[in-house]
Amino acid sequence: QVQLQESGPGLVKPSETLSLTCTVSGASVSSGSYYWSWIRQPPGKGLEYIGYVYYSGSTNYNPSLKSRVTMSIDTSKNQFSLKLISVTAADTAVYYCARDKGGNHFDFWGQGTLVTVSS
Amino acid sequence: DIQMTQSPSSLSASVGDRVTITCRASQSISRYLHWYQQKPDKAPKLLISFASSLQTGVPSRFSGSGFGTDFTLTISSLQPEDFATYFCQESQSTSYTFGQGTKLEI
């Protein structure tokens, strides 16, 4: 069974960098059939797509976040990562990693991790 | 950017009811429309892909239809475990926009 697990600090100070890692089991991030994605959800609100990283290292970012986002992939550890710079309170959200099947929909999700931006 | 608008934003219903949730795209997205169910404090779960393709293990009381700009998710006979929030998501663009969600309440 495919499982994804987010990890990283739950509290980040304003203007600093949010860093999260997603560890994948039951599937290989080296597979060319999937795109490894990040999605976030502010408390009580809807879902916002952040972007994906492909096994080759190519990326696609939501234009609204593109200037602050970097994603990377580590095939040796079967992990992928998210960095979001210059965070503000508006970046407080539950961050999910997910598997994007074929560049369309998200068939497996991590449980999510709450990241709060506060001093 | 493609905008996705769900209606209604919330819906009260009873066990056994038939309910329909609508998702409208601001431009044609062909069949690149997917539906998710989210329960409190849980990750979303994929129910239907490409407008009408039911995922393995999803009960047959769920169905989806539509093409172009107008899509529907129908639950034929509500069960207690169906009370949740439902989201649509387009994949015509690379921004993968989600609808704002429809909260289905008892």
Side-chain angles (χ1 to χ4, degrees), chain B residues 34-86:
Chain B
H34 318 289
W35 289 100
Y36 300 84
Q37 176 194 67
Q38 186 178 34
K39 296 184 178 179
D41 299 319
K42 297 292 185 183
K45 172 187 174 183
L46 179 66
L47 297 177
I48 289 172
S49 62
F50 298 106
S52 61
S53 181
L54 199 66
Q55 297 305 292
T56 302
V58 175
S60 59
R61 62 182 179 272
F62 290 90
S63 64
S65 65
F67 183 89
T69 60
D70 294 314
F71 301 86
T72 59
L73 171 70
T74 299
I75 310 172
S76 60
S77 178
L78 274 173
Q79 298 302 300
E81 61 268 30
D82 300 336
F83 291 94
T85 300
Y86 293 84

Side-chain angles (χ1 to χ4, degrees), chain A residues 5-117:
Chain A
Q5 178 68 58
E6 305 88 353
S7 59
L11 181 63
V12 181
K13 290 182 168 55
S15 80
E16 296 190 345
T17 297
L18 180 159
S19 296
L20 295 174
T21 296
C22 183
T23 301
V24 180
S25 58
S28 172
V29 300
S30 299
S31 169
S33 299
Y34 306 105
Y35 298 78
W36 302 95
S37 301
W38 292 95
I39 298 143
R40 71 180 183 177
Q41 185 172 34
K45 297 189 178 180
L47 298 160
E48 181 180 30
Y49 175 68
I50 301 172
Y52 70 66
V53 59
Y54 195 45
Y55 80 100
S56 62
S58 64
T59 55
N60 172 64
Y61 302 143
N62 187 324
S64 68
L65 295 167
K66 188 173 184 177
S67 62
R68 299 195 291 130
V69 170
T70 303
M71 294 183 187
S72 59
I73 196 162
D74 187 337
T75 56
S76 66
K77 294 182 178 178
N78 219 34
Q79 295 176 333
F80 60 104
S81 299
L82 166 71
K83 290 189 187 301
L84 181 66
I85 66 171
S86 305
V87 298
T88 70
D91 295 309
T92 293
V94 175
Y95 285 75
Y96 294 101
C97 58
R99 188 177 82 168
D100 171 357
K101 187 173 182 180
N104 281 288
H105 52 269
F106 307 103
D107 59 351
F108 287 96
W109 296 63
Q111 65 185 24
T113 187
L114 174 63
V115 179
T116 301
V117 178

